Amino acid sequence: VWVVAKQYRDRQSDAADLALNRARQSYTQGNLPLAQTDLKRVITRFGGSAAGSQATMLLAQAFYEQGKPDSGLKVLSDGKPSDTDEAAFEALKGAGFEQKKDYGQAAERYRAAANLAKEKAAKDRYLADAARALTSGGKKDEAAKIWSSLANDNASPFAAEARVRLGELIASPATK
């Protein structure tokens, strides 16, 4: 029974990967209508799997590229991320809110992504995204706190950018 169950799971995984690759190919060729149909099919058939999770994110991204952030956010809200994609789901939600110019909500999603990220570089990238969204939303003090923490961490790949952004936020024009 175990062997038969494993073979079934392997076949399902292979079928999911094949369907996802077919949808990706349509997407990269610029055939968005076909890609969207294929991605929806993968999500419906393999939701909750790694392929279903990837298809959900790719479909949301396709909607964002078409200037339809509400549709992309709905896809992500209805979707089921795999364990490895939870942080990326939140970050994509942040990108959708940013596209809608809801910078406060975008920063929240980016912070949630940072909390879910397992690698330090990913955490720092999501925090930098949150700081950028806060800056765009006019919350410069909150952004400065994030940039300051990143600037003080020399191991962060975003330390140099953080120093520049922090300088931009706290600099004042010289008087004549």
Side-chain angles (χ1 to χ4, degrees), residues 37-176:
T37 301
D38 289 347
L39 289 167
K40 287 176 184 175
R41 195 173 299 135
V42 172
I43 293 165
T44 301
R45 190 163 174 213
F46 304 106
S49 69
S53 179
Q54 291 289 312
T56 301
M57 291 189 298
L58 194 56
L59 182 57
Q61 188 173 338
F63 281 125
Y64 292 167
E65 289 176 12
Q66 295 173 39
K68 301 176 182 175
D70 289 326
S71 298
L73 287 166
K74 180 167 180 9
V75 166
L76 291 169
S77 294
D78 294 345
K80 299 175 199 161
S82 66
D83 291 340
T84 57
D85 290 334
E86 288 177 329
F89 254 66
E90 289 300 319
L92 267 176
K93 288 177 186 176
F97 283 115
E98 210 167 356
Q99 191 173 11
K100 288 177 60 169
K101 299 195 183 325
D102 185 348
Y103 299 113
Q105 191 64 252
E108 272 186 49
R109 296 296 94 223
Y110 289 134
R111 284 179 172 155
N115 289 335
L116 290 167
K118 293 173 181 32
E119 296 88 30
K120 182 173 177 9
K123 286 179 187 289
D124 289 352
R125 180 180 68 238
Y126 297 140
L127 286 173
D129 290 339
R132 286 186 210 99
L134 288 166
T135 301
S136 295
K139 296 182 179 179
K140 294 181 180 184
D141 291 339
E142 287 183 56
K145 288 178 187 174
I146 294 172
W147 287 127
S148 181
S149 69
L150 290 172
N152 291 329
D153 182 3
N154 290 327
S156 173
F158 295 90
E161 178 187 359
R163 288 184 198 97
V164 170
R165 302 286 180 207
L166 191 57
E168 291 171 348
L169 289 174
I170 61 174
S172 59
T175 57
K176 292 184 180 184

Side-chain angles (χ1 to χ4, degrees), residues 1-73:
V1 173
W2 179 83
V3 170
V4 172
K6 180 166 177 13
Q7 287 175 338
Y8 174 78
R9 283 192 306 272
D10 289 347
R11 278 196 306 272
Q12 283 293 97
S13 178
D14 290 345
D17 289 341
L18 182 64
L20 177 61
N21 286 334
R22 195 174 19 249
R24 277 189 181 140
Q25 186 176 13
S26 300
Y27 181 83
T28 56
Q29 291 174 346
N31 189 347
L32 287 180
L34 178 60
Q36 287 175 324
T37 301
D38 289 347
L39 289 167
K40 287 176 184 175
R41 195 173 299 135
V42 172
I43 293 165
T44 301
R45 190 163 174 213
F46 304 106
S49 69
S53 179
Q54 291 289 312
T56 301
M57 291 189 298
L58 194 56
L59 182 57
Q61 188 173 338
F63 281 125
Y64 292 167
E65 289 176 12
Q66 295 173 39
K68 301 176 182 175
D70 289 326
S71 298
L73 287 166

